[in-house]
Amino acid sequence: MSEPSNPARLPNPARRPSWRGPRALALAAGLAVLLVLPFYAGSFWLQAGLFAMSAAVGAIGLNVLTGAAGQLSIGHAFFLAVGAYSYVWLAAEPETAAGHELSGLGLPTWLAAVAAVGLAGLAGGACAPLAGRLKGASLGVATLALVFIGQHVLFRAEPVTGGVNGRAVPPLELFGLRFTDVPQPALVLGVPFGGLERLWYLGLAVLLLSAWFARGVLRSRPGRALNTVRDNEIAAGALGVPVGRYRAAAFVLSSMYAGLAGVLLALVFQRTVPDYFGLALALDYLAMIVIGGLGSVGGAVLGAVFVSVLPSLLTRYGDAIPLVAEPGSGSGPSPAEAARLIYGAVFVAVLLFLPGGLLGLAARARRRRAAPPRNGPGGRNQAPPHTSPETEEQPA
């Protein structure tokens, strides 16, 4: 008869370490760093951070569509272009630039920003029947066509878009605050607050609100319905979930996120050019959500930071990195090409070894630390009380 196990050595679910406290502390520390960063960081880091914030907002929207609803979309760049160019056209005054007569409505910039997000949502609604009827590769090919059609329109509609040369972006004005550089910027704690510093806090607020809203959607009844549609649409229909309607709603919401990211991106760039909103940008967004982790807000933000900041880092520190050459020199891959090679390799590695993305890697580390101490004569770890990886890697 075997000896009874020592109850004191058995894993006690009630004593399972809680990660909510450390996670909350880590989030608070990260937020504090982001809040004080404009007082210490230079323009390079602020601009790279703003690009990452814009990318994160767009990636969150794409993760709602692809990660939660299971709808493959390669046309995210099209909706970013709709948001960016709609803001420029709605906010700009009619002008003449490079020999072209450019039109504009001259609306208040804050109203133009809101309307641009709404127009992106309308564009998504116009494409929603595709999302309601198609899925998988068929929907991916259909949305890919949007990118090529959109770029053709951007090049040809010169009175609205400025054609190949693009258009200057009117700076945003909100509550009397102008988000651009001024001759004599205000001093805050001795630091001159120019356009980048002001945009930093605007972008941070937009990102936090976007993440909070998406997190609420994914954790609520619509989010659970989207997950059911993704896993088994027949079962979802049998449970009373209107599959087509939920897919269309996810498409519209994702398009509005893309429009918001496009407005923020235009404000940071200060100029819109059609070449930027091409196939490469659409693939970048797919890489963001796969590398970070499908179906979670945190994964979208993590992947967006990785994909968007890496080219800037390689450009700045390319001299110290072997095999990276100056752009146009022809002696090696440029920083942008090297960045694509690196995150392409990471993309493949994540697909092969990390199904949950970089966020899944963090969840795996937490499970390993939460495992009970070595027990028994064999010295092997007992299985943790929660053995299902899906329990830890639930979408946010």
Side-chain angles (χ1 to χ4, degrees):
M1 186 175 177
S2 62
E3 295 182 359
S5 303
N6 184 1
R9 303 295 300 273
L10 292 176
N12 184 0
R15 299 178 61 186
R16 189 173 63 189
S18 171
W19 296 100
R20 291 187 177 181
R23 184 183 298 177
L25 287 176
L27 289 175
L31 182 60
V33 170
L34 291 175
L35 287 174
V36 302
L37 202 58
F39 293 95
Y40 299 99
S43 59
F44 167 80
W45 293 106
L46 293 183
Q47 194 169 42
L50 282 166
F51 286 143
M53 290 179 191
S54 168
V57 172
I60 290 172
L62 185 59
N63 224 352
V64 171
L65 178 64
T66 302
Q71 294 289 86
L72 176 62
S73 173
I74 314 180
H76 215 53
F78 168 77
F79 298 105
L80 265 89
V82 172
Y85 276 95
S86 296
Y87 169 76
V88 173
W89 182 68
L90 292 171
E93 299 286 349
E95 59 180 339
T96 301
H100 298 292
E101 294 291 334
L102 303 179
S103 62
L105 297 185
L107 297 178
T109 52
W110 66 268
L111 180 59
V114 174
V117 176
L119 287 174
L122 287 176
C127 302
L130 291 175
R133 297 184 179 183
L134 301 178
K135 63 178 181 179
S138 301
L139 181 60
V141 172
T143 52
L144 177 61
L146 292 176
V147 177
F148 298 116
I149 295 173
Q151 270 203 312
H152 178 78
V153 173
L154 294 181
F155 279 116
R156 299 296 178 187
E158 291 183 352
V160 175
T161 66
V164 178
N165 297 321
R167 290 190 70 167
V169 178
L172 181 68
E173 286 190 51
L174 189 64
F175 303 122
L177 187 63
R178 192 175 175 88
F179 291 85
T180 187
D181 289 329
V182 293
Q184 293 182 345
L187 294 178
V188 179
L189 299 178
V191 177
F193 256 54
L196 285 177
E197 286 81 4
R198 298 175 183 182
L199 278 175
W200 178 270
Y201 289 107
L202 175 68
L204 185 59
V206 170
L207 174 58
L208 291 177
L209 288 174
S210 301
W212 171 76
F213 183 78
R215 191 178 177 87
V217 169
L218 293 178
R219 288 191 165 188
S220 64
R221 186 175 179 181
R224 293 192 293 273
L226 288 175
N227 290 337
T228 307
V229 170
R230 175 197 61 196
D231 295 337
N232 192 326
E233 63 178 80
I234 297 177
L239 291 172
V241 176
V243 175
R245 191 185 307 169
Y246 269 88
R247 281 179 174 170
F251 205 89
V252 172
L253 181 61
S254 173
S255 304
M256 295 181 73
Y257 268 91
L260 182 58
V263 173
L264 187 57
L265 186 67
L267 291 173
V268 180
F269 263 131
Q270 300 182 0
R271 190 166 193 86
T272 55
V273 288
D275 278 335
Y276 182 78
F277 301 96
L279 180 59
L281 182 63
L283 296 179
D284 282 351
Y285 271 92
L286 279 182
M288 290 175 196
I289 61 173
V290 172
I291 291 175
L294 283 171
S296 68
V297 174
V301 175
L302 197 59
V305 171
F306 179 82
V307 173
S308 61
V309 172
L310 186 60
S312 300
L313 290 179
L314 290 179
T315 302
R316 185 175 179 87
Y317 301 105
D319 296 339
I321 301 175
L323 303 180
V324 177
E326 290 289 333
S329 63
S331 58
S334 67
E337 293 169 342
R340 292 186 188 281
L341 290 174
I342 290 175
Y343 71 68
V346 174
F347 185 92
V348 174
V350 166
L351 289 179
L352 290 177
F353 306 111
L354 291 174
L358 297 179
L359 199 67
L361 183 64
R364 186 180 297 179
R366 286 200 303 271
R367 285 200 305 274
R368 185 168 298 176
R369 293 187 61 182
R374 292 178 178 273
N375 190 18
R380 302 179 64 179
N381 286 342
Q382 291 188 357
H386 52 300
T387 56
S388 172
E390 289 77 9
T391 306
E392 285 286 349
E393 297 177 3
Q394 281 287 340

